[in-house]
Amino acid sequence: MNIPPKQFIETLVQKQLITQEEGDKYEMESLNKNLPIYDYLLVYGKLKKSDILKSQAELLHVPFVDINTIAVSPEALAFISESIARKYIILPYSYDSKTDSIYVATAHPLDFSLNDFLEKKTNKRIILSLGNKEDIIKSINMVYIHGLSPEVKEALAEVSGYNTDNTSEQITTIVKEAPIAKIVNTILEFAMKGRASDIHIEPQEDKTRIRYRIDGVLQEKLTLPRSIHDSLASRIKILSQMKIDERRIPQDGRFSFKVGNEEVDLRVSSLPTVHGEKIVMRILKKTGGLPMLHELGLRGTQYKDLEEAILKPYGIILVTGPTGSGKTTTLYSILTKLNKPSVNIVTLEDPVEYEIVGINQVQINPQAGLTFGAGLRSFLRQDPNIILVGEIRDKETAQLAIQAALTGHLVFSTLHTNDAATAIPRLIDLGAEPFLISSVLNASVAQRISRTVCPHCKEQYEPVETIKENIKSILGPLLPAKYQTSPIMLSRGKGCVECNFSGYLGRIAIFEVLKITPIINKMILQQASAREIEAQAKKDSLIIMKQDGYLKALEGITSLEEVLRVAEV
């Protein structure tokens, strides 16, 4: 599989991946080390692995596959055993039923004896694709563990005789069969073992893909044959007590699932798409408890300012951020801290995500007339001390929340804004009077969730000069004193089995806690802009989200890339 070094260098230069001078240097160094040019670049070069391998595949006229970015088909895995995959360092990743072909990733795509051996073994057409050897080894360790292949083959046999126009009785019979049930169980078990918060089951024209949201990022982990999608969706709908013969409108449901000692609630949503029903399952843990405030990532002046705000007898505390930024978890942690026998706490949520002992939780039901506004009005007759309103969405809810705070209640709620200061103009936009806001607002908190660097494969490195300058300019006087004399060091994960080779394991929140001082109260009355309020708050020691993230990156808790991904607003 040798490609003349000059030809390979020419290709990289033509693609403008390297300069001719760099190419000549790489060619000399590869000769000195007695390595093929592409192997040398993979180990010592600064190019992306995918760019090197793509160029190599083009020159060899073979397909290229990036194993890290594709979902492996259990159908393909079923044809080649784990022992063969390990022996020859290959990974079957896709099966095309139309051409009866299996696509196999290997570092040696021109190995014709391997091709012949696999074709005899599987009785299928084999197409060898060029992949990175290390990635193939990592993927073999991951995909064969799931053991989905036998169930998928069995399920295919069970449902192959049916079409998508089945009666509900036929579907019910199919989905109660063991193979489909096993597939659903395996999908759920992997989600729990992989620390996923959501499962997406998405029908496409020729396949069904399964994606998991792990540490806040969607990852495609699996593809299933399109032919079993309807049975899969129906099985989940039966578990969730949804109507299986209704596929034209969205539906909601929920059910519980247990693996070992761990039990979870699954909140299920179905959505009709052009290729069938998409199913999304949100995983809500019943066991494990809620994190304490300091465990979320609050510390120092931020923790002190928020604690002062929540210990006041009345007022409003707002938590802001986009969907999935951990607002509900922060509010639940606060309520857990305030939850005592002497205090009456009532919550109005959409939906109730975690059940907390000793707190009266109500789920809104718009069809029955139980909206945030209607619920909040009735709450005031329930003699509460503390009220949680899931979200302030409209003028009525905003005004009722302010009235509740004015009459001596401590009110918590959420808003969808980018930062803490913007919550104030947003309340005014919703029809709240500035003089009332200034009377009752205790604090506004903004937050995002950032993945934490995997402790098992963490390594330190010194960033380039431009990044160091950026850190110094963002943090300013907040930059720890030790970095005046010692070099700035950051952390990253190399990737290991523990973190599924992502370099990240677990999550932490980055915060911005806007304390309402007398000066900011005056600015609210004058209807100052969010930027003016933020500028004043910075003078009063406000730490903005980006700064909090940078400080956590300097401590090695998260990476700078993660902070910029979630907090760059």
Side-chain angles (χ1 to χ4, degrees):
M1 201 170 76
N2 284 334
I3 300 167
K6 285 202 184 306
Q7 188 185 357
F8 195 64
I9 293 294
E10 264 175 47
T11 303
L12 297 177
V13 172
Q14 281 168 10
K15 290 183 168 186
Q16 299 182 333
L17 296 169
I18 58 171
T19 62
Q20 188 62 55
E21 290 76 22
E22 286 173 325
D24 294 339
K25 181 172 140 249
Y26 289 145
E27 190 180 349
M28 283 300 297
E29 288 172 358
S30 69
L31 287 168
N32 289 337
K33 291 192 182 287
N34 197 25
L35 280 171
I37 184 68
Y38 35 84
D39 285 349
Y40 171 82
L41 287 170
L42 281 171
V43 179
Y44 301 104
K46 291 185 178 176
L47 283 78
K48 284 184 185 172
K49 275 192 302 188
S50 56
D51 287 335
I52 298 166
L53 291 164
K54 263 184 211 168
S55 304
Q56 191 182 346
E58 282 170 26
L59 289 167
L60 294 171
H61 305 291
V62 296
F64 161 73
V65 61
D66 185 351
I67 289 295
N68 291 328
T69 61
I70 61 151
V72 175
S73 161
E75 244 185 319
L77 286 177
F79 293 114
I80 295 173
S81 68
E82 183 179 353
S83 58
I84 290 174
R86 288 191 185 281
K87 183 177 178 182
Y88 296 99
I89 311 179
I90 57 171
L91 185 73
Y93 63 90
S94 183
Y95 173 64
D96 186 346
S97 55
K98 292 172 189 166
T99 58
D100 209 19
S101 305
I102 306 168
Y103 288 81
V104 179
T106 173
H108 306 286
L110 297 183
D111 187 340
F112 299 114
S113 60
L114 173 64
N115 198 303
D116 291 344
F117 167 72
L118 292 174
E119 287 193 343
K120 283 176 187 166
K121 194 82 180 164
T122 61
N123 205 20
K124 307 284 177 194
R125 180 171 171 241
I126 298 291
I127 298 167
L128 297 180
S129 305
L130 177 65
N132 180 253
K133 185 178 178 181
E134 287 177 10
D135 293 341
I136 292 168
I137 293 168
K138 288 174 187 173
S139 295
I140 289 170
N141 291 333
M142 283 168 60
V143 298
Y144 279 100
I145 290 166
H146 304 159
L148 266 178
S149 329
E151 281 79 21
V152 171
K153 284 187 85 174
E154 208 179 324
L156 277 170
E158 290 286 337
V159 299
S160 59
Y162 299 90
N163 59 43
T164 55
D165 300 320
N166 300 322
T167 65
S168 59
E169 289 82 6
Q170 285 175 313
I171 293 172
T172 305
T173 305
I174 300 165
V175 300
K176 283 183 177 173
E177 297 290 332
I180 288 290
K182 278 182 188 171
I183 292 175
V184 172
N185 285 355
T186 312
I187 288 168
L188 295 174
E189 280 173 23
F190 177 74
M192 289 171 72
K193 286 172 188 168
R195 301 174 296 102
S197 60
D198 300 84
I199 307 166
H200 292 237
I201 301 173
E202 302 170 317
Q204 296 179 328
E205 191 175 1
D206 55 347
K207 64 181 181 183
T208 290
R209 72 172 178 177
I210 315 290
R211 294 195 291 170
Y212 295 94
R213 191 175 292 282
I214 299 170
D215 292 335
V217 178
L218 272 176
Q219 298 177 21
E220 190 172 343
K221 291 289 183 187
L222 193 64
T223 60
L224 297 173
R226 177 65 184 82
S227 55
I228 67 166
H229 178 83
D230 291 335
S231 303
L232 200 64
S234 296
R235 169 70 183 164
I236 293 165
K237 285 166 80 175
I238 284 173
L239 290 171
S240 313
Q241 297 185 332
M242 291 151 68
K243 295 176 184 173
I244 63 168
D245 55 349
E246 180 54 86
R247 300 177 186 174
R248 300 162 301 166
I249 57 170
Q251 293 187 68
D252 292 305
R254 65 192 303 160
F255 67 96
S256 293
F257 184 74
K258 194 170 185 178
V259 174
N261 294 325
E262 192 174 10
E263 189 174 5
V264 293
D265 267 340
L266 290 117
R267 204 172 74 224
V268 185
S269 167
S270 73
L271 181 74
T273 71
V274 288
H275 295 302
E277 283 185 291
K278 176 180 174 179
I279 305 283
V280 174
M281 293 184 273
R282 164 63 61 91
I283 299 169
L284 306 168
K285 286 190 178 179
K286 279 187 170 183
T287 51
L290 286 161
M292 305 295 284
L293 277 175
H294 66 273
E295 293 171 336
L296 296 173
L298 273 164
R299 65 256 175 97
T301 54
Q302 291 182 319
Y303 185 89
K304 182 173 145 290
D305 289 346
L306 183 59
E307 193 170 44
E308 277 178 17
I310 67 175
L311 291 176
K312 287 182 179 176
Y314 65 91
I316 291 181
I317 289 103
L318 294 173
V319 181
T320 74
T323 303
S325 58
K327 301 186 296 292
T328 306
T329 303
T330 299
L331 287 172
Y332 280 171
S333 295
I334 292 170
L335 291 186
T336 304
K337 184 179 174 70
L338 299 173
N339 189 12
K340 296 170 190 161
S342 57
V343 175
N344 180 20
I345 303 175
V346 286
T347 77
L348 190 59
E349 304 170 60
D350 180 23
V352 172
E353 291 198 7
Y354 298 94
E355 292 178 18
I356 308 172
V357 177
I359 292 179
N360 307 287
Q361 294 170 274
V362 178
Q363 183 159 320
I364 72 161
N365 185 351
Q367 287 83 11
L370 179 52
T371 60
F372 280 124
L376 199 43
R377 271 196 301 274
S378 65
F379 272 13
L380 297 176
R381 296 190 290 275
Q382 287 283 319
D383 186 31
N385 300 101
I386 297 168
I387 299 170
L388 165 65
V389 185
E391 188 185 338
I392 294 177
R393 294 179 183 171
D394 51 38
K395 184 177 180 178
E396 182 191 21
T397 313
Q399 290 177 339
L400 283 166
I402 288 170
Q403 287 302 320
L406 283 169
T407 52
H409 303 90
L410 189 60
V411 180
F412 294 93
S413 193
T414 69
L415 275 177
H416 287 284
T417 63
N418 281 336
D419 53 46
T422 312
I424 295 161
R426 177 85 181 111
L427 275 180
I428 295 169
D429 288 344
L430 284 169
E433 294 291 347
F435 73 92
L436 293 177
I437 297 170
S438 71
S439 305
V440 296
L441 191 60
N442 291 353
S444 176
V445 181
Q447 69 178 80
R448 300 286 188 280
I449 291 184
S450 165
R451 291 181 292 173
T452 51
V453 176
C454 174
H456 304 282
C457 60
K458 184 194 282 193
E459 63 174 7
Q460 280 202 319
Y461 70 98
E462 192 172 343
V464 295
E465 206 56 43
T466 51
I467 291 176
K468 287 183 187 176
E469 291 307 315
N470 175 255
I471 291 170
K472 286 174 183 174
S473 71
I474 293 292
L475 288 178
L478 291 171
L479 184 73
K482 69 174 181 178
Y483 294 118
Q484 306 297 340
T485 51
S486 57
I488 287 175
M489 300 295 285
L490 297 173
S491 297
R492 63 187 168 204
K494 290 185 285 187
C496 64
V497 176
E498 295 290 333
C499 62
N500 258 346
F501 304 97
S502 67
Y504 295 100
L505 187 69
R507 296 193 285 173
I508 196 164
I510 53 177
F511 287 96
E512 182 175 297
V513 179
L514 177 67
K515 185 180 178 183
I516 308 301
T517 61
I519 297 172
I520 288 175
N521 259 329
K522 281 181 189 172
M523 294 178 80
I524 295 170
L525 287 168
Q526 293 158 5
Q527 295 193 37
S529 71
R531 297 288 69 82
E532 289 168 333
I533 291 169
E534 187 180 281
Q536 176 57 45
K538 280 181 180 175
K539 291 176 190 172
D540 300 335
S541 76
L542 170 75
I543 298 171
I544 63 168
M545 269 185 296
K546 201 170 179 183
Q547 289 174 328
D548 187 39
Y550 273 35
L551 288 168
K552 283 170 179 154
L554 286 176
E555 289 176 42
I557 297 169
T558 186
S559 70
L560 212 58
E561 293 79 9
E562 267 299 287
V563 175
L564 293 171
R565 179 179 72 84
V566 300
E568 190 79 300
V569 291

